[in-house]
Amino acid sequence: GDVYKRQSSHHSAKMWLPVPAKFGQRFALGMSERKKDADFVCYMHAERILDALGLHVFNLPGLQKRHVDRVKKDGRWAPGPGENPVIPAETESPPPLKMGGQLAKKLDYPVPNELAWEDFTSWKVHVQQCDEYLEVAHQQYETECYDKDVVPRTGDAFLDATIADVENSGGTDPHSRQTLQNYCFQTNTSYPKLWKSQAVGPINSRRALTTIPVPGYEHITASGVALSKDNSQRRAAMHALAILRRVDPEFASIEAVSYTHLRAHETPEHLVCRLLLEKKKHSSSLQPSRIIVLSIYIYIINESIN
């Protein structure tokens, strides 16, 4: 069972593992500021200990194979289905895990052996090692970026420059989504309908990543990373605005028009559009009664003007 201990600034969870006698007593340890997270991290440590000792985490071959494929992407090893490797009894357990405190595994660049230049099979093995190296290295790079609330660079000079613009702006703009909405309103472009948010980063340090199409330039994707989903959406809007600032020559004049000015000169039709957009933030559909009320309101205004 788990043993919990409260330290001055964190909880720790300790669990005894039923491993073969030759390995002696093995314990999994997890630490975190919250008891629930300490329990979870302890299970993660237990999984890594079993992998290091060549023991199967799952009895079913299919589940064990999926486990092997998953840890392989993290740059670790686990015995495959049917494998029973002989692991020395003195093999040390992996170091304990702490929420947010795990260090990235150091990667060794794959070097081809002498046979790789002459033997096709050896060369294929080397190519596969290179692919695995690049995959793990890229994943670790993305993890480092997400830990810093930074969008990973794409390799495209233009997009990377706009990402840097957001990072150098000094924090998250709480009104960025409203600013983007105002831009769409003035340019008659479609405000992004799909704000795709997903959890990224390692389990012990999750972040939210939001991507949206840039209004008027839907083939370009804007991104934002933050600890919360709301802030990641604001950061994505900031990135979209940074892109528009560089590609739209009229952006400065459009940005100069204040939201208050727009509200003061909005027509009844604009009012309906604004209310529909605001309502969409809180529900997926507008109630029929609300639409009827808005229609009557527009009719009364039009009649008073005529």
Side-chain angles (χ1 to χ4, degrees):
D2 296 350
V3 178
Y4 296 96
K5 184 178 181 181
R6 172 66 177 176
Q7 304 289 347
S8 58
S9 60
H10 65 270
H11 288 275
S12 62
K14 187 176 182 181
M15 178 175 60
W16 171 77
L17 299 179
V19 298
K22 75 171 187 175
F23 293 119
Q25 287 190 334
R26 301 291 177 128
F27 294 91
L29 180 64
M31 294 172 285
S32 179
E33 295 180 353
R34 297 190 303 174
K35 181 178 178 180
K36 180 180 179 181
D37 291 336
D39 190 14
F40 184 75
V41 176
C42 181
Y43 293 142
M44 291 177 59
H45 188 216
E47 176 188 83
R48 298 191 176 204
I49 293 176
L50 295 177
D51 290 341
L53 300 181
L55 303 176
H56 289 191
V57 176
F58 299 98
N59 292 327
L60 296 178
L63 293 179
Q64 182 64 20
K65 184 178 184 306
R66 290 177 58 184
H67 171 67
V68 171
D69 294 339
R70 178 175 61 83
V71 302
K72 186 177 181 180
K73 293 180 180 180
D74 294 334
R76 298 191 290 113
W77 172 86
E83 294 182 0
N84 294 292
V86 179
I87 305 297
E90 62 275 10
T91 300
E92 296 183 358
S93 297
L97 298 180
K98 182 178 180 180
M99 182 69 77
Q102 182 186 0
L103 297 177
K105 177 182 174 62
K106 183 178 179 180
L107 294 176
D108 294 325
Y109 188 81
V111 179
N113 56 36
E114 296 180 357
L115 295 177
W117 303 108
E118 301 178 359
D119 182 62
F120 180 71
T121 303
S122 299
W123 179 254
K124 286 182 62 178
V125 172
H126 173 65
V127 172
Q128 182 179 359
Q129 291 174 344
C130 291
D131 289 340
E132 294 173 356
Y133 171 86
L134 292 174
E135 182 180 358
V136 175
H138 182 68
Q139 185 178 32
Q140 290 189 0
Y141 166 71
E142 289 186 336
T143 298
E144 293 174 358
C145 291
Y146 295 144
D147 284 341
K148 301 175 184 177
D149 292 342
V150 172
V151 175
R153 296 303 190 262
T154 62
D156 183 281
F158 171 77
L159 286 179
D160 290 346
T162 56
I163 293 174
D165 290 342
V166 176
E167 294 173 3
N168 297 330
S169 63
T172 302
D173 180 6
H175 307 294
S176 58
R177 294 193 64 174
Q178 186 180 61
T179 304
L180 183 61
Q181 181 178 328
N182 294 341
Y183 173 87
C184 296
F185 178 80
Q186 295 183 69
T187 59
N188 196 29
T189 53
S190 298
Y191 184 71
K193 296 180 180 180
L194 179 61
W195 294 68
K196 185 179 179 181
S197 299
Q198 58 181 323
V200 294
I203 297 178
N204 61 346
S205 184
R206 285 297 198 192
R207 293 294 190 273
L209 169 66
T210 296
T211 56
I212 60 171
V214 178
Y217 304 86
E218 280 73 13
H219 60 286
I220 304 177
T221 300
S223 307
V225 174
L227 192 59
S228 67
K229 177 181 176 181
D230 289 340
N231 278 340
S232 72
Q233 292 180 347
R234 295 185 181 102
R235 303 278 297 183
M238 292 174 64
H239 188 204
L241 292 169
I243 293 173
L244 293 169
R245 193 173 287 110
R246 287 174 174 259
V247 299
D248 188 352
E250 305 296 328
F251 184 87
S253 59
I254 295 173
E255 190 178 28
V257 180
S258 67
Y259 182 70
T260 304
H261 176 81
L262 291 174
R263 289 287 298 274
H265 294 82
E266 69 180 350
T267 64
E269 289 79 6
H270 292 159
L271 172 65
V272 173
C273 293
R274 179 170 61 81
L275 291 176
L276 287 172
L277 286 172
E278 292 177 355
K279 182 67 177 178
K280 189 176 181 180
K281 296 179 182 178
H282 305 288
S283 62
S284 59
S285 60
L286 192 65
Q287 296 179 357
S289 59
R290 184 73 177 275
I291 297 179
I292 294 174
V293 171
L294 291 174
S295 301
I296 295 175
Y297 175 73
I298 295 175
Y299 175 79
I300 294 175
I301 293 180
N302 288 332
E303 287 296 318
S304 62
I305 294 176
N306 298 329

